Amino acid sequence: MKVIQAYRFALDLRPFQQRVVLAHAGAARVAYNWGLARVKAVMDQRAAERSYGTPEELLTPAVGWDLAALRKAWNAAKSEVAPWWAECSKEAYNTGLDNLARALKNWSDSRAGKRAGRRVGFPRFKSRRRATPSVRFTTGAIRVEPDRKHVVLPRLGRLKTHESTRKLARRIEAGTARILSATVRRDGGRWHVAFCVEVERAEHTPTRPQAVVGVDVGITHLAVLSTGEMVPNPRHLHEAAQRMRRLSRQMSRRVGPDRRTGQRPSNRWERARQRVARAHARVANLRRDGLHKLTTRLARTYGTIVVEDLNVAGMLRNRRLARQIADAGFGEIRRQVTYKAEWNGGRRIVADRWYPSSKTCSDCGAVKAKLPLRVRTYICDPCGLALDRDLNAARNLAALAREVTTAGSGPVAGRGADRKTRPGGPVAAKRQPGPLRRIRPGPSHRKAGHTDQSLEPTDR
Ligand SMILES: [Zn+2]
């Protein structure tokens, strides 16, 4: 199976190498801003001419904004705009123009309703202070050195990696990986190189292909599995978060920049800012590490993984929950489980957003009308079950997989699968979970035992 995969390594850049990368990132920004100004000027001009009633055929001709057109225009103008252009690799300008072409496409697609998700605004100019320095190389000498401690990139030459490149180097030596591009970027005060790689992955089967696991993403735990396992949050996450809070308090007490008064930031503020950025990066790293370890283990072990389709954007708007949800990386678990299940030959089922996994009794199937978040133990009135809230939810999710499989292509637990069937729409559905639920697992199915393997997965 061929997949596109990223390999990311921290770099130890020497000062002059940092200067070269920053120059390239700056060149990318110049090309981006130049292209944006040009597109914008022509658009404004045409709008103005239209407002005077100029006929359509006499308008200033529109400029193309795909990558090829932008590149052509840039090459024609670069001696004027950036007489120093030869100092940087052409890949730098390409980085900027490619980003611009994508941004413009996203904006126009979003405006035309061709793009899912939140509305995309018109691209904005990049500032030296705010933009993350980054440059992408797609051609030329891109190599991972056999010593597994260095990488080679065009113009930048040999760069030392902070960690071993073994994972990627082995694949390249075995001929199962091909590097498509490399991006050097600074995040959280540290430089990284990310290789975009086409990987030929061996066919895998999970160690327990028949087994089903429901994953409930929690707040007190990273996740709760239907097997009863409570996966704890990564170690040191709490301390790192505390440190982050202390440092940002420290930063706020120092003299920062002020646009209105023209106040320049003090050196002490600048140092505090760097410490805060590093602390943020550490928290993010701990979280990412924990999530990856969990999802890899799940995908390698279980044939079927059931996760919830949580309305993460909506939950993030609830400010009391936002912090913990962002911390737990709710959406990220689903994303990782999805591609890792595919890599490992398993399958993933997403429970409908309105499926009451928390409110249903995992033993008798009774559904509670209400279950406030503070209630941590599920107590069933009809059958007397008392179980940890999250574990109960995880068990319901696992039961859903059996339901979906035994019912064949019946009610699918896909996104919003049964939303249209209720007259009141999603809001009404959310208020009255219960008898109308189509995919509530019945107790008979739950005890029916194994899944029918002849049926196709129904989650795609
Ligand atoms: Zn019950």
Side-chain angles (χ1 to χ4, degrees), residues 110-396:
S110 173
R111 212 170 54 146
K114 281 188 280 182
R115 189 179 196 277
R118 182 185 294 202
R119 276 198 70 142
V120 178
F122 193 76
R124 292 192 299 172
F125 290 102
K126 286 194 191 295
S127 114
R128 182 165 62 90
R129 288 191 175 76
R130 261 178 313 158
T132 308
S134 136
V135 59
R136 187 161 68 104
F137 297 93
T138 53
T139 54
I142 303 175
R143 277 204 314 275
V144 177
E145 293 280 65
D147 67 1
R148 299 179 176 180
K149 287 177 192 145
H150 294 87
V151 297
V152 174
L153 295 178
R155 286 294 175 114
L156 307 176
R158 244 165 84 98
L159 310 176
K160 190 181 169 301
T161 54
H162 186 72
E163 50 198 327
S164 167
T165 61
R166 182 182 66 247
K167 290 248 160 154
L168 176 58
R170 258 197 221 145
R171 278 206 175 275
I172 290 176
E173 282 156 24
T176 56
R178 190 166 65 90
I179 296 176
L180 304 175
S181 70
T183 306
V184 183
R185 158 206 286 277
R186 187 178 66 196
D187 19 48
R190 163 153 267 164
W191 291 94
H192 289 94
V193 60
F195 292 100
C196 181
V197 185
E198 188 187 60
V199 177
E200 180 64 49
R201 291 185 72 92
E203 298 294 329
H204 282 288
T205 32
T207 46
R208 295 171 60 197
Q210 306 290 324
V212 174
V213 67
V215 185
D216 185 79
V217 186
I219 285 171
T220 46
H221 292 87
L222 186 63
V224 176
L225 310 183
S226 56
T227 55
E229 185 186 339
M230 310 257 174
V231 185
N233 276 315
R235 282 171 65 201
H236 309 306
L237 185 68
H238 184 66
E239 294 98 287
Q242 268 180 341
R243 182 177 155 76
M244 196 165 88
R245 277 198 291 281
R246 189 171 57 79
L247 287 173
S248 46
R249 235 172 13 240
Q250 196 175 64
M251 185 174 131
S252 73
R253 280 193 231 103
R254 299 183 172 180
V255 180
D258 192 332
R259 270 276 173 87
R260 287 164 306 169
T261 58
Q263 173 73 52
R264 301 281 300 272
S266 70
N267 288 334
R268 298 175 78 239
W269 182 88
E270 200 51 60
R271 282 199 300 273
R273 190 190 59 79
Q274 280 171 18
R275 280 199 288 269
V276 169
R278 271 204 299 276
H280 270 284
R282 177 164 170 76
V283 169
N285 289 343
L286 285 168
R287 206 154 61 200
R288 187 165 41 229
D289 185 49
L291 284 182
H292 271 297
K293 280 176 179 157
L294 169 67
T295 53
T296 296
R297 180 161 64 90
L298 291 178
R300 286 193 181 155
T301 313
Y302 298 96
T304 303
I305 305 169
V306 191
V307 288
E308 270 179 297
D309 175 23
L310 292 163
N311 177 9
V312 177
M315 287 166 88
L316 285 176
R317 251 174 265 132
N318 174 352
R319 288 179 54 190
R320 275 193 298 175
L321 270 182
R323 170 60 169 286
Q324 283 104 331
I325 291 162
D327 266 355
F330 278 22
E332 185 63 12
I333 284 200
R334 190 177 83 215
R335 190 187 72 84
Q336 290 180 10
V337 158
T338 305
Y339 73 78
K340 288 183 184 178
E342 199 175 316
W343 286 0
N344 288 285
R347 64 177 187 149
R348 175 234 40 174
I349 293 173
V350 176
D352 185 276
R353 181 171 297 180
W354 314 113
Y355 173 63
S357 60
S358 298
K359 293 182 190 138
T360 308
C361 171
S362 63
D363 201 33
C364 72
V367 181
K368 277 186 195 285
K370 249 189 187 164
L371 186 67
L373 254 184
R374 62 170 188 279
V375 180
R376 300 314 304 170
T377 306
Y378 186 97
I379 295 171
C380 180
D381 300 327
C383 77
L385 172 86
L387 195 62
D388 177 82
R389 175 201 179 95
D390 296 333
L391 179 55
N392 179 54
R395 285 194 182 168
N396 282 323

